[in-house]
Amino acid sequence: MIRISEAAQSHFQKLLADQPDGTCIRVFVVNPGMANAECGVSYCPPDSVEPDDERLPFNGFDAVVDSGSAPFLEDAAIDFEEQEMGSQLTLKAPNAKARKVADDAPLIERVEYVIQAEINPQLASHGGQVMVSEITDDGVAILQFGGGCNGCSMIDVTLKNGIEKELLERFPEEVKGVRDITDHEPGEHSYY
C-alpha cells in the first residue's frame, strides 16, 4: 500500500527513538476523495491505535493507517532527502483525491476516477469541478460542471480539447464522446 524509502525509514527511526516505546507513525488523508484532500504523517502513541487500523511493518517501526484513509493511500510513497539547504520529507499519494478503482470496474466508475484524480485538480485552480452524470449506451459521457466552470467563457475548449481528448485516449473502445448538460449562465462565481 505505502512505500517508504530507506532514507525515510531511517528518518522515522531517529524521530521515534525520542518517543515512548511502541509509538508508531500514522499516515492519513484529510478529506479523502475530495479535490482538497491532503496527506499527512504524525506520531501515533500505542493507545491511539484503533482496532480497525492497518499496521504496516517497516524497519524498526510500524506505520498505521486508518480504514478511511487506506483506499486513498494505494500506491503512496514517502521519501526523505537531505540537502545542503535542509532536509525534506515528501509524501506522494496519487489516489488521495479519488479512490483507485479496479481495471474491470464499471466504465462510469473508471471515468469518474480519472475525472476526480486528474481533471478536477486542474479545474480547481479556477474554482471549478466536473462530475459524470451518466454514460449513455452509445458511449457518451454526460458531464455536469460546477463552481467557476459554470458560465466560464472557455468551457467549450475545456470540454472538447481537455476532458474529451483525455477520456477518448484513456477509454478508446468505450467512450465515444462527451456532452455537457450544465446550464452555463454567467455569474459572480464564473472564471473569465
Side-chain angles (χ1 to χ4, degrees):
M1 171 196 302
I2 300 172
R3 281 189 339 271
I4 300 180
S5 71
E6 292 294 327
Q9 289 184 51
S10 294
H11 176 68
F12 288 134
Q13 288 171 356
K14 290 175 192 167
L15 292 175
L16 290 168
D18 297 333
Q19 298 300 312
D21 285 346
T23 300
C24 305
I25 62 162
R26 179 172 292 283
V27 184
F28 57 91
V29 179
V30 176
N31 299 321
M34 308 290 287
N36 62 344
E38 294 286 333
C39 298
V41 178
S42 66
Y43 292 120
C44 181
D47 60 351
S48 294
V49 177
E50 299 293 329
D52 63 344
D53 283 344
E54 189 170 339
R55 278 184 172 263
L56 307 170
F58 286 95
N59 190 13
F61 67 94
D62 286 351
V64 177
V65 178
D66 65 274
S67 60
S69 294
F72 299 94
L73 289 170
E74 192 72 33
D75 300 327
I78 300 175
D79 196 13
F80 181 76
E81 292 181 27
E82 292 195 55
Q83 303 164 345
E84 283 184 33
M85 302 293 285
S87 54
Q88 180 174 347
L89 185 69
T90 58
L91 196 158
K92 295 180 182 173
N95 299 304
K97 295 180 187 324
R99 175 182 278 181
K100 189 173 182 178
V101 296
D103 292 339
D104 62 351
L107 178 60
I108 193 164
E109 290 180 22
R110 290 180 284 135
V111 169
E112 183 67 25
Y113 173 76
V114 170
I115 298 256
Q116 294 302 326
E118 299 177 28
I119 294 171
N120 274 343
Q122 295 172 39
L123 297 177
S125 66
H126 299 188
Q129 78 270 351
V130 66
M131 62 179 225
V132 181
S133 293
E134 68 174 297
I135 297 183
T136 65
D137 292 339
D138 57 347
V140 176
I142 308 298
L143 306 176
Q144 174 95 34
F145 287 89
C149 290
N150 187 10
C152 175
S153 60
M154 295 298 290
I155 199 65
D156 291 335
V157 173
T158 300
L159 183 69
K160 291 296 183 181
N161 295 345
I163 298 170
E164 183 174 66
K165 182 179 176 187
E166 181 69 25
L167 294 179
L168 290 175
E169 284 177 14
R170 293 289 186 99
F171 309 102
E173 302 298 317
E174 299 169 285
V175 174
K176 303 302 178 202
V178 298
R179 187 174 347 144
D180 178 14
I181 60 167
T182 311
D183 179 10
H184 285 284
E185 286 296 317
E188 292 177 19
H189 59 279
S190 301
Y191 186 82
Y192 292 101

